[in-house]
Amino acid sequence: APTPAPECPQLHGALEKLSPRCREIIHLFYYEDMDVKDIGEILGMRPSAVRAQLTRGRQKLKAQLEKGGQDHA
């Protein structure tokens, strides 16, 4: 089995702030290496809806991580 990437507390905290559905999609895409078609089939969503959730999730994660970096400056 592949070794999971080391945990990053900032990333974990940012993921916790996402909606459960968005967090699940991000997890399946990045940690389970699934494509949007397969994720859509599992969750009963169209691939376009999965892509939209991924885009929103990435934007929210980026904003949270940048905000977190400013807190420590």
Coordinates of all heavy atoms in Angstrom, one line a residue:
A1 N 0.8 -1.2 0.0 CA 0.0 0.0 0.0 C 0.9 1.2 0.0 O 1.9 1.3 0.6 CB -0.9 0.0 1.2
P2 N 0.5 2.3 -0.7 CA 1.3 3.5 -0.7 C 1.3 4.2 0.6 O 0.3 4.1 1.4 CB 0.6 4.4 -1.8 CG -0.8 3.8 -2.0 CD -0.7 2.4 -1.5
T3 N 2.4 4.8 0.9 CA 2.5 5.5 2.2 C 1.8 6.8 2.1 O 2.0 7.6 1.1 CB 4.0 5.8 2.5 OG1 4.7 4.5 2.5 CG2 4.2 6.4 3.8
P4 N 0.9 7.1 3.0 CA 0.2 8.4 3.0 C 1.2 9.6 3.2 O 2.2 9.4 3.8 CB -0.8 8.3 4.1 CG -0.4 7.2 5.0 CD 0.5 6.3 4.2
A5 N 0.8 10.7 2.6 CA 1.6 11.9 2.7 C 1.6 12.3 4.2 O 0.6 12.1 4.9 CB 1.1 13.0 1.9
P6 N 2.7 12.9 4.7 CA 2.7 13.4 6.1 C 1.6 14.4 6.3 O 1.3 15.2 5.4 CB 4.1 14.1 6.2 CG 4.7 14.1 4.9 CD 3.9 13.3 3.9
E7 N 1.0 14.3 7.5 CA -0.1 15.2 7.8 C 0.4 16.7 8.0 O 1.5 16.9 8.6 CB -0.8 14.8 9.1 CG -1.7 13.6 8.9 CD -2.9 13.9 8.0 OE1 -3.5 15.0 8.1 OE2 -3.2 13.1 7.1
C8 N -0.3 17.6 7.5 CA -0.1 19.0 7.7 C -1.2 19.6 8.5 O -2.3 19.6 8.1 CB 0.0 19.7 6.3 SG 0.1 21.4 6.4
P9 N -0.9 20.0 9.7 CA -2.0 20.5 10.6 C -2.8 21.6 9.9 O -4.0 21.7 10.1 CB -1.3 21.0 11.8 CG 0.1 20.4 11.8 CD 0.4 20.1 10.4
Q10 N -2.2 22.5 9.2 CA -2.9 23.6 8.6 C -3.8 23.1 7.5 O -5.0 23.5 7.4 CB -1.9 24.6 7.9 CG -1.1 25.4 8.9 CD 0.2 24.7 9.3 OE1 0.5 23.6 8.8 NE2 0.9 25.3 10.2
L11 N -3.4 22.1 6.7 CA -4.3 21.5 5.7 C -5.4 20.8 6.3 O -6.6 20.9 5.9 CB -3.5 20.6 4.8 CG -4.2 19.9 3.7 CD1 -4.9 20.9 2.8 CD2 -3.3 19.0 2.9
H12 N -5.1 20.0 7.4 CA -6.2 19.3 8.1 C -7.3 20.3 8.6 O -8.4 20.0 8.5 CB -5.6 18.5 9.2 CG -6.6 17.6 9.9 ND1 -7.2 16.5 9.4 CD2 -7.1 17.8 11.2 CE1 -8.0 16.0 10.3 NE2 -8.0 16.8 11.4
G13 N -6.8 21.3 9.2 CA -7.8 22.3 9.8 C -8.6 23.0 8.6 O -9.8 23.2 8.8
A14 N -7.9 23.3 7.5 CA -8.7 23.9 6.4 C -9.7 22.9 5.8 O -10.8 23.3 5.5 CB -7.7 24.3 5.3
L15 N -9.3 21.6 5.7 CA -10.2 20.6 5.2 C -11.5 20.5 6.1 O -12.6 20.3 5.6 CB -9.6 19.2 5.1 CG -8.6 19.0 3.9 CD1 -7.8 17.8 4.1 CD2 -9.4 19.0 2.6
E16 N -11.3 20.6 7.4 CA -12.4 20.5 8.4 C -13.4 21.6 8.2 O -14.5 21.4 8.6 CB -11.8 20.5 9.8 CG -11.1 19.2 10.2 CD -12.0 18.0 10.2 OE1 -13.1 18.1 10.7 OE2 -11.5 17.0 9.7
K17 N -13.0 22.7 7.6 CA -13.9 23.8 7.4 C -14.7 23.7 6.2 O -15.7 24.5 6.0 CB -13.1 25.1 7.4 CG -12.5 25.4 8.8 CD -11.8 26.7 8.8 CE -11.2 26.9 10.3 NZ -10.4 28.1 10.4
L18 N -14.4 22.7 5.3 CA -15.2 22.5 4.1 C -16.5 21.8 4.5 O -16.6 21.1 5.5 CB -14.4 21.7 3.1 CG -13.2 22.3 2.5 CD1 -12.5 21.2 1.6 CD2 -13.4 23.5 1.8
S19 N -17.5 21.8 3.6 CA -18.7 21.1 3.8 C -18.4 19.6 3.7 O -17.4 19.2 3.1 CB -19.7 21.4 2.7 OG -19.3 20.9 1.5
P20 N -19.2 18.7 4.4 CA -18.9 17.3 4.3 C -18.8 16.8 2.9 O -17.9 16.0 2.6 CB -20.0 16.7 5.1 CG -20.5 17.7 6.0 CD -20.3 19.0 5.3
R21 N -19.7 17.2 2.0 CA -19.7 16.7 0.6 C -18.4 17.2 -0.1 O -17.8 16.4 -0.8 CB -20.9 17.2 -0.1 CG -21.0 17.0 -1.6 CD -20.9 15.5 -2.0 NE -21.9 14.6 -1.5 CZ -22.9 14.1 -2.1 NH1 -23.2 14.5 -3.3 NH2 -23.7 13.3 -1.4
C22 N -18.0 18.4 0.1 CA -16.8 18.9 -0.6 C -15.6 18.2 -0.1 O -14.7 17.8 -0.8 CB -16.8 20.4 -0.4 SG -15.5 21.2 -1.4
R23 N -15.5 18.0 1.2 CA -14.4 17.3 1.9 C -14.3 15.9 1.3 O -13.2 15.4 1.0 CB -14.6 17.3 3.4 CG -13.4 16.8 4.1 CD -13.5 17.1 5.6 NE -14.7 16.7 6.3 CZ -15.6 17.5 6.8 NH1 -15.4 18.8 6.9 NH2 -16.7 17.1 7.4
E24 N -15.5 15.2 1.2 CA -15.5 13.9 0.6 C -14.9 13.8 -0.8 O -14.1 12.9 -1.1 CB -16.9 13.3 0.7 CG -17.0 11.9 0.3 CD -18.4 11.4 0.4 OE1 -19.4 12.1 0.5 OE2 -18.6 10.1 0.6
I25 N -15.4 14.8 -1.6 CA -14.9 14.8 -3.0 C -13.4 15.1 -3.1 O -12.7 14.4 -3.8 CB -15.7 15.9 -3.8 CG1 -17.1 15.4 -4.0 CG2 -15.0 16.2 -5.1 CD1 -18.1 16.4 -4.5
I26 N -12.9 16.0 -2.3 CA -11.5 16.3 -2.2 C -10.7 15.0 -1.8 O -9.7 14.7 -2.4 CB -11.2 17.5 -1.2 CG1 -11.8 18.8 -1.8 CG2 -9.7 17.6 -1.0 CD1 -11.0 19.6 -2.7
H27 N -11.2 14.3 -0.8 CA -10.6 13.1 -0.3 C -10.5 12.1 -1.4 O -9.4 11.5 -1.6 CB -11.3 12.6 0.9 CG -10.7 11.3 1.4 ND1 -9.6 11.3 2.3 CD2 -11.1 10.0 1.2 CE1 -9.3 10.0 2.5 NE2 -10.2 9.2 1.9
L28 N -11.6 11.8 -2.0 CA -11.7 10.8 -3.1 C -10.7 11.1 -4.2 O -10.0 10.2 -4.7 CB -13.1 10.6 -3.6 CG -14.1 9.9 -2.6 CD1 -15.5 10.0 -3.1 CD2 -13.7 8.5 -2.2
F29 N -10.7 12.4 -4.6 CA -9.9 12.8 -5.8 C -8.4 12.7 -5.4 O -7.6 12.2 -6.2 CB -10.3 14.2 -6.2 CG -9.7 14.6 -7.5 CD1 -10.2 14.2 -8.7 CD2 -8.6 15.5 -7.5 CE1 -9.6 14.6 -9.9 CE2 -8.0 15.9 -8.7 CZ -8.5 15.5 -9.9
Y30 N -8.0 13.3 -4.3 CA -6.6 13.4 -4.0 C -6.0 12.2 -3.2 O -4.9 11.8 -3.5 CB -6.3 14.7 -3.3 CG -6.4 15.9 -4.2 CD1 -7.5 16.8 -4.1 CD2 -5.4 16.2 -5.1 CE1 -7.6 17.9 -4.9 CE2 -5.5 17.3 -6.0 CZ -6.6 18.1 -5.9 OH -6.7 19.2 -6.7
Y31 N -6.8 11.7 -2.3 CA -6.2 10.7 -1.4 C -6.5 9.3 -1.9 O -5.8 8.3 -1.7 CB -6.7 10.8 0.0 CG -6.2 12.0 0.7 CD1 -6.9 13.2 0.7 CD2 -4.9 12.0 1.3 CE1 -6.3 14.4 1.3 CE2 -4.4 13.1 1.9 CZ -5.1 14.3 1.9 OH -4.6 15.4 2.5
E32 N -7.6 9.1 -2.6 CA -8.0 7.8 -3.2 C -7.7 7.7 -4.7 O -7.9 6.7 -5.3 CB -9.5 7.5 -2.9 CG -9.9 7.5 -1.5 CD -9.2 6.5 -0.6 OE1 -8.8 5.4 -1.1 OE2 -9.0 6.8 0.6
D33 N -7.2 8.8 -5.3 CA -6.8 8.9 -6.7 C -7.9 8.5 -7.6 O -7.7 7.7 -8.6 CB -5.6 8.0 -6.9 CG -4.8 8.4 -8.2 OD1 -4.9 9.6 -8.5 OD2 -4.2 7.5 -8.8
M34 N -9.1 8.9 -7.4 CA -10.3 8.6 -8.2 C -10.5 9.7 -9.2 O -10.2 10.9 -8.9 CB -11.5 8.4 -7.4 CG -11.4 7.2 -6.5 SD -12.9 7.0 -5.4 CE -14.0 6.4 -6.7
D35 N -11.1 9.4 -10.4 CA -11.4 10.5 -11.3 C -12.8 11.0 -11.1 O -13.6 10.4 -10.4 CB -11.1 10.1 -12.8 CG -12.0 8.9 -13.2 OD1 -13.2 8.8 -12.7 OD2 -11.6 8.1 -14.1
V36 N -13.1 12.1 -11.7 CA -14.4 12.8 -11.5 C -15.6 11.9 -11.9 O -16.6 11.9 -11.2 CB -14.5 14.2 -12.1 CG1 -13.5 15.1 -11.4 CG2 -14.3 14.1 -13.6
K37 N -15.4 11.1 -12.9 CA -16.5 10.2 -13.4 C -16.8 9.2 -12.3 O -18.0 9.0 -12.0 CB -16.1 9.5 -14.7 CG -17.1 8.6 -15.3 CD -16.7 8.1 -16.6 CE -17.7 7.1 -17.2 NZ -17.6 5.8 -16.7
D38 N -15.8 8.6 -11.7 CA -16.0 7.5 -10.7 C -16.6 8.2 -9.4 O -17.5 7.6 -8.8 CB -14.7 6.8 -10.4 CG -14.2 5.9 -11.5 OD1 -15.0 5.5 -12.3 OD2 -13.0 5.7 -11.6
I39 N -16.1 9.3 -9.0 CA -16.6 10.0 -7.9 C -18.1 10.3 -8.1 O -18.9 10.1 -7.2 CB -15.8 11.3 -7.6 CG1 -14.4 10.9 -7.2 CG2 -16.5 12.1 -6.5 CD1 -13.4 12.1 -7.1
G40 N -18.4 10.8 -9.3 CA -19.8 11.1 -9.6 C -20.7 9.9 -9.5 O -21.8 10.0 -9.0
E41 N -20.2 8.8 -10.0 CA -21.0 7.5 -9.9 C -21.3 7.1 -8.4 O -22.4 6.7 -8.1 CB -20.3 6.4 -10.7 CG -20.4 6.6 -12.2 CD -19.6 5.5 -12.9 OE1 -19.1 4.6 -12.3 OE2 -19.5 5.7 -14.2
I42 N -20.2 7.2 -7.6 CA -20.4 6.8 -6.2 C -21.3 7.8 -5.5 O -22.2 7.3 -4.7 CB -19.0 6.9 -5.5 CG1 -18.1 5.7 -6.0 CG2 -19.1 6.8 -4.0 CD1 -16.7 5.8 -5.6
L43 N -21.2 9.1 -5.7 CA -22.0 10.1 -5.0 C -23.3 10.4 -5.7 O -24.1 11.3 -5.1 CB -21.2 11.3 -4.7 CG -19.9 11.1 -3.9 CD1 -19.1 12.4 -3.8 CD2 -20.2 10.5 -2.6
G44 N -23.6 9.9 -6.8 CA -24.8 10.2 -7.6 C -24.8 11.6 -8.1 O -25.8 12.3 -8.1
M45 N -23.6 12.1 -8.6 CA -23.5 13.4 -9.1 C -23.0 13.3 -10.6 O -22.3 12.4 -10.9 CB -22.5 14.2 -8.3 CG -22.9 14.4 -6.9 SD -21.5 15.1 -5.9 CE -21.4 16.7 -6.6
R46 N -23.3 14.4 -11.3 CA -22.7 14.4 -12.7 C -21.2 14.8 -12.6 O -20.9 15.6 -11.6 CB -23.4 15.5 -13.5 CG -24.9 15.1 -13.9 CD -25.5 16.1 -14.9 NE -25.2 17.5 -14.6 CZ -26.1 18.3 -14.0 NH1 -27.3 17.8 -13.7 NH2 -25.8 19.5 -13.7
P47 N -20.4 14.4 -13.5 CA -19.0 14.7 -13.4 C -18.8 16.3 -13.4 O -17.9 16.7 -12.7 CB -18.4 14.1 -14.7 CG -19.2 12.9 -14.9 CD -20.6 13.4 -14.5
S48 N -19.6 17.0 -14.1 CA -19.5 18.5 -14.1 C -19.7 19.0 -12.7 O -19.0 20.0 -12.3 CB -20.4 19.1 -15.1 OG -21.8 18.8 -14.8
A49 N -20.6 18.4 -12.0 CA -20.9 18.9 -10.6 C -19.7 18.5 -9.7 O -19.4 19.3 -8.8 CB -22.2 18.3 -10.0
V50 N -19.1 17.4 -9.9 CA -17.9 17.0 -9.1 C -16.8 18.0 -9.4 O -16.1 18.5 -8.5 CB -17.5 15.6 -9.4 CG1 -16.2 15.2 -8.8 CG2 -18.6 14.6 -9.0
R51 N -16.6 18.3 -10.7 CA -15.5 19.3 -11.0 C -15.8 20.6 -10.4 O -14.8 21.3 -9.9 CB -15.4 19.4 -12.5 CG -14.6 18.3 -13.2 CD -14.3 18.6 -14.6 NE -15.5 18.7 -15.5 CZ -16.1 17.7 -16.0 NH1 -15.7 16.4 -15.9 NH2 -17.2 17.9 -16.8
A52 N -17.0 21.1 -10.4 CA -17.4 22.4 -9.8 C -17.1 22.3 -8.3 O -16.5 23.3 -7.7 CB -18.8 22.7 -10.0
Q53 N -17.4 21.2 -7.6 CA -17.1 21.1 -6.1 C -15.6 21.1 -5.9 O -15.1 21.7 -4.9 CB -17.7 19.8 -5.6 CG -19.2 19.9 -5.4 CD -19.6 20.7 -4.2 OE1 -18.9 20.6 -3.2 NE2 -20.7 21.4 -4.3
L54 N -14.9 20.4 -6.8 CA -13.4 20.4 -6.6 C -12.8 21.8 -6.7 O -12.0 22.2 -6.0 CB -12.7 19.5 -7.7 CG -12.7 18.0 -7.4 CD1 -12.3 17.2 -8.6 CD2 -11.8 17.7 -6.2
T55 N -13.3 22.5 -7.7 CA -12.8 23.9 -7.9 C -13.2 24.8 -6.7 O -12.3 25.5 -6.2 CB -13.5 24.5 -9.2 OG1 -13.1 23.7 -10.3 CG2 -13.0 26.0 -9.4
R56 N -14.4 24.7 -6.2 CA -14.8 25.5 -5.0 C -14.0 25.1 -3.8 O -13.5 25.9 -3.0 CB -16.3 25.3 -4.7 CG -17.1 26.3 -5.6 CD -18.5 26.3 -5.0 NE -19.3 25.1 -5.2 CZ -20.0 24.8 -6.3 NH1 -19.9 25.6 -7.4 NH2 -20.6 23.7 -6.4
G57 N -13.8 23.8 -3.7 CA -13.0 23.2 -2.5 C -11.6 23.7 -2.6 O -11.0 24.1 -1.5
R58 N -11.0 23.7 -3.7 CA -9.6 24.2 -3.9 C -9.5 25.6 -3.5 O -8.5 26.1 -2.8 CB -9.1 23.9 -5.3 CG -8.8 22.5 -5.6 CD -8.2 22.4 -7.0 NE -8.3 21.1 -7.6 CZ -9.0 20.8 -8.6 NH1 -9.7 21.7 -9.3 NH2 -9.0 19.5 -9.1
Q59 N -10.4 26.4 -4.0 CA -10.4 27.9 -3.7 C -10.6 28.1 -2.2 O -9.9 29.0 -1.7 CB -11.6 28.6 -4.5 CG -11.3 28.6 -6.0 CD -12.6 29.1 -6.7 OE1 -13.7 29.1 -6.2 NE2 -12.4 29.4 -8.0
K60 N -11.5 27.4 -1.6 CA -11.7 27.6 -0.1 C -10.4 27.1 0.6 O -10.0 27.8 1.6 CB -12.9 26.8 0.3 CG -14.2 27.4 -0.1 CD -15.4 26.6 0.3 CE -16.7 27.2 -0.1 NZ -17.8 26.5 0.3
L61 N -9.8 26.0 0.2 CA -8.6 25.6 0.9 C -7.5 26.6 0.8 O -6.8 26.9 1.7 CB -8.1 24.2 0.3 CG -8.9 23.0 0.7 CD1 -8.5 21.8 0.0 CD2 -8.8 22.7 2.2
K62 N -7.3 27.1 -0.5 CA -6.3 28.1 -0.7 C -6.5 29.3 0.2 O -5.6 29.8 0.8 CB -6.3 28.5 -2.2 CG -5.2 29.5 -2.5 CD -5.2 29.9 -4.0 CE -4.1 30.9 -4.2 NZ -4.3 31.5 -5.5
A63 N -7.7 29.8 0.3 CA -8.0 31.0 1.1 C -7.8 30.7 2.5 O -7.2 31.5 3.2 CB -9.5 31.4 0.9
Q64 N -8.2 29.5 3.0 CA -7.9 29.2 4.4 C -6.4 29.1 4.8 O -6.0 29.5 5.8 CB -8.6 27.8 4.8 CG -10.1 27.9 4.9 CD -10.5 28.8 6.1 OE1 -9.9 28.8 7.2 NE2 -11.6 29.5 6.0
L65 N -5.7 28.4 3.8 CA -4.2 28.3 4.1 C -3.5 29.6 4.0 O -2.6 29.9 4.8 CB -3.6 27.3 3.1 CG -4.1 25.8 3.3 CD1 -3.7 25.0 2.1 CD2 -3.7 25.3 4.6
E66 N -3.9 30.5 3.1 CA -3.3 31.8 3.0 C -3.6 32.6 4.3 O -2.8 33.3 4.8 CB -3.7 32.6 1.8 CG -3.1 32.0 0.5 CD -3.7 32.6 -0.7 OE1 -4.7 33.3 -0.7 OE2 -3.1 32.4 -1.8
K67 N -4.9 32.5 4.7 CA -5.3 33.2 5.9 C -4.5 32.7 7.2 O -4.1 33.5 8.0 CB -6.8 33.0 6.1 CG -7.4 33.7 7.3 CD -8.9 33.3 7.4 CE -9.5 33.7 8.7 NZ -10.9 33.2 8.9
G68 N -4.4 31.4 7.2 CA -3.6 30.8 8.3 C -2.2 31.3 8.4 O -1.6 31.5 9.4
G69 N -1.6 31.4 7.2 CA -0.2 31.9 7.1 C 0.0 33.3 7.6 O 0.9 33.7 8.2
Q70 N -1.1 34.2 7.4 CA -1.0 35.5 7.8 C -1.1 35.6 9.3 O -0.6 36.5 9.9 CB -2.1 36.3 7.1 CG -1.9 36.5 5.7 CD -3.1 37.1 5.0 OE1 -4.1 37.4 5.6 NE2 -3.0 37.4 3.7
D71 N -1.9 34.7 9.9 CA -2.0 34.7 11.4 C -0.7 34.5 12.1 O -0.6 35.0 13.2 CB -3.0 33.6 11.8 CG -4.4 33.9 11.4 OD1 -4.7 35.0 11.0 OD2 -5.3 32.9 11.4
H72 N 0.2 33.8 11.5 CA 1.5 33.6 12.2 C 2.6 34.6 11.8 O 3.7 34.5 12.3 CB 2.0 32.2 11.8 CG 1.0 31.1 12.2 ND1 0.7 30.8 13.5 CD2 0.3 30.2 11.5 CE1 -0.2 29.9 13.6 NE2 -0.5 29.5 12.3
A73 N 2.3 35.6 11.0 CA 3.3 36.5 10.5 C 3.6 37.6 11.6 O 2.8 37.8 12.5 CB 2.8 37.3 9.3

